[in-house]
């Protein structure tokens, strides 16, 4: 498995970073016993789709597209497609490539590339199941899916609330630690909480500006949780946690 630059000089670049002539690609070649390729091909289709679903973007945004026309060396191929703002498009390809890769290497290098299977007591050229995903396309999928605009009522005014709805697992910052004011011992409590949490996940500390402005800044970068330390915290050891998606707030124990 590796990540690296890939190049396509025959394509027309379009749709922002969806299609570029130079892009970042993540791929895996999985070596298997000949005759087991159907089983492993199905395994990797399921495994890779489950990985995508773990990003929290919803099963309705994914589908398989099986290839009707196969490369001369392939015996099965499909794409995992994602619902981009411009429609369903390929995000990842999964291919059963038989022994084409290693046989070609053998032919042109004049070196044997066979595997000795101790269980079967024989040599064979392994078959390959390949999975290949564009890192730039994945970034675009996540960002386009996360970008959210909601109409919210503030008194007699209607405002547009903009935030990034990242799954907490992939949000760059997991929690913001926010003392309500820069005095009265609240920053000290907040710093201690920050020290307790930062070893477990990426946190952000801020004490500048009104709390509402700080909440909006965290919304803009997709932080799922904001923890506010206020004057009551000193009395009951409770803090207010705010949830990004619903804006719901509740008091929980500082511990």
């Amino acid at each position: 498995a590796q990540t690296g630059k890939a190049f396509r000089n025959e394509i027309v670049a379009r749709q922002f970073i969806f299609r570029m002539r130079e892009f970042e690609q993540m791929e895996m070649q999985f070596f298997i016993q000949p005759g087991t390729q159907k089983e492993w091909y199905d395994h990797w289709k399921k495994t890779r789709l489950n990985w995508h679903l773990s990003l929290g973007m919803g099963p309705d945004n994914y589908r398989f597209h099986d290839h009707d026309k196969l490369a001369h060396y392939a015996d099965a191929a499909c794409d995992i497609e994602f619902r981009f703002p411009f429609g369903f498009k390929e995000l990842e390809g999964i291919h059963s490539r038989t022994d084409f890769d290693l046989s070609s290497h053998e032919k042109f290098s004049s070196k044997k590339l066979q595997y000795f299977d101790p269980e079967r007591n024989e040599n064979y050229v392994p078959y390959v199941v390949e999975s290949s995903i564009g890192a730039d396309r994945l970034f675009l999928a996540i960002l386009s899916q996360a970008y959210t605009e909601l109409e919210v009522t503030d008194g007699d005014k209607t405002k547009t609330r903009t935030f990034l709805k990242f799954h907490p697992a992939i949000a760059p910052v997991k929690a913001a630690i926010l003392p309500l004011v820069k005095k009265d011992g609240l920053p000290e409590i907040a710093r201690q909480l920050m020290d307790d949490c930062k070893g477990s996940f990426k946190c952000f500390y801020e004490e500048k500006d009104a709390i509402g402005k700080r909440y909006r800044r965290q919304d803009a970068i997709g932080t799922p949780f904001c923890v506010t330390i206020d004057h009551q915290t000193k009395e009951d050891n409770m803090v207010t946690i705010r949830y990004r998606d619903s804006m719901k707030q509740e008091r929980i124990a500082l511990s």
Side-chain angles (χ1 to χ4, degrees):
Q2 65 178 0
T3 302
K5 286 286 184 191
F7 304 91
R8 299 285 186 273
N9 62 6
E10 75 281 5
I11 65 107
V12 177
R14 62 180 183 271
Q15 292 168 327
F16 188 39
I17 60 171
F18 178 79
R19 182 169 279 114
M20 299 185 290
R21 294 183 185 89
E22 177 183 327
F23 53 96
E24 203 76 21
Q25 195 167 14
M26 302 182 287
E27 63 178 8
M28 174 199 70
Q29 265 75 36
F30 189 76
F31 298 96
I32 55 173
Q33 178 184 310
T36 64
Q37 65 268 30
K38 176 71 171 67
E39 167 194 340
W40 282 111
Y41 175 73
D42 290 341
H43 166 85
W44 281 111
K45 278 181 66 175
K46 181 180 178 182
T47 300
R48 293 304 301 146
L49 181 61
N50 285 340
W51 183 85
H52 284 282
L53 294 175
S54 74
L55 303 179
M57 296 194 287
D60 293 343
N61 289 313
Y62 296 94
R63 71 183 186 189
F64 283 113
H65 170 69
D66 293 315
H67 290 204
D68 297 324
K69 294 181 180 179
L70 296 174
H72 64 89
Y73 52 80
D75 62 4
C78 75
D79 298 331
I80 295 177
E81 294 186 334
F82 180 79
R83 192 198 305 269
F84 287 94
F86 39 83
F88 272 103
K89 298 283 185 179
E90 179 191 354
L91 187 56
E92 176 166 356
I94 301 167
H95 308 95
S96 176
R97 298 174 62 93
T98 66
D99 64 352
F100 173 77
D101 299 287
L102 293 180
S103 295
S104 297
H105 281 303
E106 274 197 336
K107 177 182 175 183
F108 291 105
S109 68
S110 301
K111 301 286 184 183
K112 272 195 171 184
L113 284 175
Q114 296 186 354
Y115 170 72
F116 176 71
D117 189 331
E119 292 183 2
R120 296 175 61 176
N121 197 32
E122 64 175 349
N123 291 301
Y124 55 76
V125 176
Y127 277 30
V128 168
V129 174
E130 176 194 58
S131 175
S132 179
I133 176 171
D136 308 278
R137 287 186 179 186
L138 179 60
F139 173 79
L140 180 60
I142 290 170
L143 202 61
S144 62
Q145 185 66 21
Y147 183 82
T148 307
E149 290 184 345
L150 285 180
E151 297 294 320
V152 294
T153 304
D154 184 8
D156 57 351
K157 294 181 181 178
T158 300
K159 297 180 179 178
T160 301
R161 178 179 174 240
T162 303
F163 62 103
L164 291 177
K165 201 172 182 178
F166 292 129
H167 188 290
I170 56 171
V173 178
K174 310 300 185 193
I177 313 294
L178 312 171
L180 189 62
V181 293
K182 290 192 280 186
K183 57 183 180 180
D184 303 332
L186 302 190
E188 288 75 9
I189 299 172
R191 287 284 182 191
Q192 182 59 55
L193 180 60
M194 177 77 176
D195 290 341
D196 292 343
C197 292
K198 67 184 182 184
S200 300
F201 40 79
K202 176 77 172 175
C203 296
F204 183 86
Y205 179 90
E206 190 175 40
E207 53 186 42
K208 181 188 173 187
D209 290 332
I211 195 70
K213 281 188 176 180
R214 285 183 272 169
Y215 283 158
R216 286 191 288 276
R217 282 201 285 265
Q218 294 306 312
D219 283 347
I221 63 169
T223 305
F225 311 107
C226 289
V227 181
T228 302
I229 291 84
D230 56 26
H231 291 93
Q232 197 177 336
T233 302
K234 295 198 291 185
E235 300 170 15
D236 60 10
N237 279 325
M238 305 278 280
V239 294
T240 300
I241 186 165
R242 173 192 184 264
Y243 300 96
R244 176 199 63 207
D245 297 346
S246 65
M247 295 194 294
K248 177 187 172 188
Q249 298 184 26
E250 66 174 330
R251 297 287 286 180
I252 65 168
L254 181 60
S255 58

